[in-house]
Amino acid sequence: MNRQRPPGPLTVAELVHSGPLGRAHLVAAPHLDQQVTSVSLISDLAQARRCAPNTALVVHPAAAPGVWALESALRFAWERNASCVVAPSEISITDSTKQLAERLRVPLFTVDDPAEQALELAATIADTEAVRCRLTARCAVLLGERHRPQDIVAVINNEVPGVRVVLVTPDGHTLAGRAADNRPAGDPHQVRVPVPGPDGRPWAELVAYLATPSPSWVQTVETILKVARAPLAAAIAHSQLSSVRQAGKDRLLLEALLHGETTVPKDPPAVHSTAGRTDVAQIGREAGWRLDGTHVAVCLRPLEREICAPDAITPGIIAAWHEAFPQLPLVPMPRGWVTWFTGESAEPAPLADLIRRRLSGARIPISLATGIGQPATGLKGLRQSVAEADLAAEVASRSGESSVELYGELGPRVVLARLPLAEIADAALVLLADLAADPRTDVLVETLSVLLDCAGSTGQAASRLGVHRNTVLGRIERIRACGVDPDAPEQRLALHIACYALRSTRPSR
Amino acid sequence: MKIDPDCLTVDSVQAISAQDVPAMVAGNQLLCSAMGAAGVDGVTLCVTQLLRKHGPVPLLDLAALPPEAMCAAVGAVGGFAPTIELPPFGDEFTLAVRALEDRVGRRLDAIVSLNAAGPNALFPIAAAAALGLPLVDCDGMGRILPLIHQTTYALGGLHVTPLAGASQSGDVVVLETRSERADRLLRGVVDASGGFMICALYPATAGELRNAAITGSTSRILRAGRLLATASGRSSTLAGLSHTMGARLLASGRISELCHSSPSVGTRHYPSMPTSIVVDEYGRAGRTVRLEAQNELLLALIDGAVAAAVPDILCLFDHQKLRLVGLEGVIVGDHVDVLVIPAAPMWHSSRGLAVAGPRAFGFPVCHPREGGYR
């Protein structure tokens, strides 16, 4: 700790939390953030009239023959901008005195021995550093005993007087503490300390709002925030490890279920076992999974253009999913994440709307495509629905934007989703080299593709393309001139797939 | 001794008859915050009977008396409660005055009031009626103060003694001592004789009284009493009291607290019990008015600041029932106006405040006219 810094005065709140006022009875606490620079023990009310600003006014019993005298002392404290009034406990304080203290915004305490209290207060405010070191040490001990970010932030909020602390992400989302107000950075009432994640990269920021800033108090708060960084990183690492471990277990379990395995090797201490193996479905049910009834599977996967390591983003995706759907498991799978809705009311179309709505507000770190399977019953039905949702998600992932596709609306087209389009397009460029070299290659490929879609009907193709039939005939002549015969039966499938691959992989104009 | 009949006019009040007694009762409550409207029926009956028997009592201006006219103050010493239980029979006044006359060796020419407030506003009238003497329109307190030497008579240099006291049992005591010792000595006798005695004290000539008395006291409460007896609305009553008594509205609100506490060390010689009343002003930003009393209301603090103090008179006026509220009748929840009636100018002198200011009652504060606090 820097011993050269100027000792800033303590506040009433600090004297309550870490000083002798902690043993006093707090009658009214309207404003504990005022600084205390001196102590005055008054044995005559007239002395109260002459007290300096920021004084802790300690009233000796001789100066308080009745509660009226205490109210007079409160009045003088208010007029002289004193920090607080400490009264002898032998005065029976009523509600009206308490209300007056609150109205005048003068904190009021009672103690058994005002003279002793005055001496202790004087000794404390003469050595502010000692009080703040005690505060920092106590915070360090308590922070080391907490294991959740919320608990760590709560320690600071509870122990550090006159300070409100929040833990926020770089995009402004509050992770712990009460949501912050919009004060600009650089505000003297604000202390910011970056908090690295377990990997050392910036993860969040601790922001403290101070009621009464002074250079030394700002340093004290900053020190406490820095002390909190290590417990926070440990808490996050623990949380992420737990999440990854749980995700791994869930994945193994779901894979076993989807592959039709009925048992897995016994994992001691297993409860439901048969000859050294454990019933998979039973494990799933014990994990809270609903395996009976009608299911509609949902598959999430990154868009094709997203470059990410699924294992690294899985904890974030699962956390965001649970913010949107707290009751539903999200299980990582090789190409994405799977969940399912169970119940008679689970219908794909309403589910699509619900998922769109909820995910639009969730804090998901990447763009996701969603596929939804058809309703199906039982474990066997779940397998089918998951397979359908996976295909639908593959279609959705190729759309280039966060979209939701329903398997039931895609029909046989989903088969095309599994084609290795990039490789086929490369081969097509070799096969149709002359056509690809034509200046109007896009138009010709489109025309060829539509012609094949329409089983060689030039009339239907003209209608779909929105051109005259003669134009289509002209283009066909030109295609033939490039060495491509759309009527040759043995070439039609290959040509059709090649055109589909070229159109799917070329950027749209 | 001849009294000039032309001077028998005191602000249109020439004499006090039995018909004036209800107005006197209503008016003297204003200066007696301890009692308010409660418990003077027996005294009223006694005074009324004496006035009916002996006829109206002439009310004289002090200036109308020749300087050598012999006077003495008459008043009751003791508590209110004994007078409720056993009102005077009517012969105590003659016993006390005759004993004093025997002691000083002169017959009285007129009666003056010890303090024209509370029941003591009525006893001098009864004495004057019983003795066939005129009553001088003056008193020595202008309010109720607990000690018999807390008077402007004493401030003006008059001696409390020799004094004579008579009880309802016919006991008569004559006391001659220094003014400061008189109250303590008399208090023992009063306690022994039932807690209440009619006393004749401060024997003095009219010339001596002119520099020591608060003039116009009796006629003033009679006018205030007539106003209160015919009160028809809050604002007109307050305006009338302002005009008649100089009364000022300190605050209006609801009584939220009433508590009693033990006398503090410095005030144990007073025959009184501290009481504290809190009035919450109306409105969200309403102030807190704390009234401190020792039998009488003595100190008013608004949000902790001294707003009014003894010897100025504080009283509570129930603005819904249009009547004064005595300390004995205060109920939490009452809606009241807190009124301040300024004391006689003599009390605002430094000597006056030393005798009857807030510090004399154990409040270590200064009177507002002294600038608040020391």
Side-chain angles (χ1 to χ4, degrees), chain A residues 49 71-72 75 94 96 103, chain B residues 257 288 290 301 303-304 373:
Chain A
R49 195 184 193 186
E71 290 183 1
S72 271
R75 174 72 179 214
T94 58
S96 62
R103 199 138 53 81
Chain B
E257 272 180 32
T288 300
R290 183 176 285 278
L301 299 109
D303 285 348
Y373 284 76

Side-chain angles (χ1 to χ4, degrees), chain B residues 232-246:
Chain B
S232 58
R234 175 179 177 245
S235 25
S236 62
T237 305
L238 294 182
L241 290 175
S242 172
H243 177 70
T244 310
M245 310 290 286

Side-chain angles (χ1 to χ4, degrees), chain A residues 215-226:
Chain A
S216 58
W217 181 230
V218 166
Q219 279 193 21
T220 302
V221 173
E222 193 174 356
T223 302
I224 292 170
L225 296 188
K226 285 178 177 173

Side-chain angles (χ1 to χ4, degrees), chain A residues 118-144:
Chain A
L119 283 172
E120 289 184 13
L121 280 172
T124 304
I125 64 171
D127 190 1
T128 58
E129 288 294 282
V131 173
R132 288 176 175 157
C133 286
R134 278 202 298 274
L135 175 66
T136 307
R138 190 168 71 219
C139 286
V141 170
L142 292 172
L143 289 170

Side-chain angles (χ1 to χ4, degrees), chain B residues 69-136:
Chain B
M70 190 64 193
C71 305
V74 170
V77 176
F80 292 138
T83 67
I84 298 169
E85 201 171 284
L86 185 62
F89 292 110
D91 54 358
E92 299 90 339
F93 308 103
T94 309
L95 285 172
V97 170
R98 294 296 178 227
L100 181 66
E101 288 174 338
D102 292 346
R103 178 68 185 177
V104 298
R106 281 185 68 180
R107 289 288 172 188
L108 297 188
D109 299 307
I111 298 292
V112 297
S113 299
L114 176 62
N115 56 329
N120 264 356
L122 298 174
F123 292 136
I125 299 170
L131 291 158
L133 292 173
L135 177 66
V136 184

Side-chain angles (χ1 to χ4, degrees), chain A residues 444-465:
Chain A
L444 296 180
V445 169
E446 182 189 21
T447 302
L448 178 58
S449 179
V450 171
L451 184 69
L452 292 168
D453 286 346
C454 298
S457 168
T458 53
Q460 287 180 25
S463 175
R464 286 186 63 178
L465 290 168

Side-chain angles (χ1 to χ4, degrees), chain B residues 116-159:
Chain B
N120 264 356
L122 298 174
F123 292 136
I125 299 170
L131 291 158
L133 292 173
L135 177 66
V136 184
D137 189 13
C138 69
D139 81 330
M141 294 185 186
R143 55 164 298 147
I144 289 182
L145 292 167
L147 307 180
I148 58 175
H149 57 266
Q150 285 178 311
T151 61
T152 57
Y153 299 147
L155 280 182
L158 304 184
H159 293 285

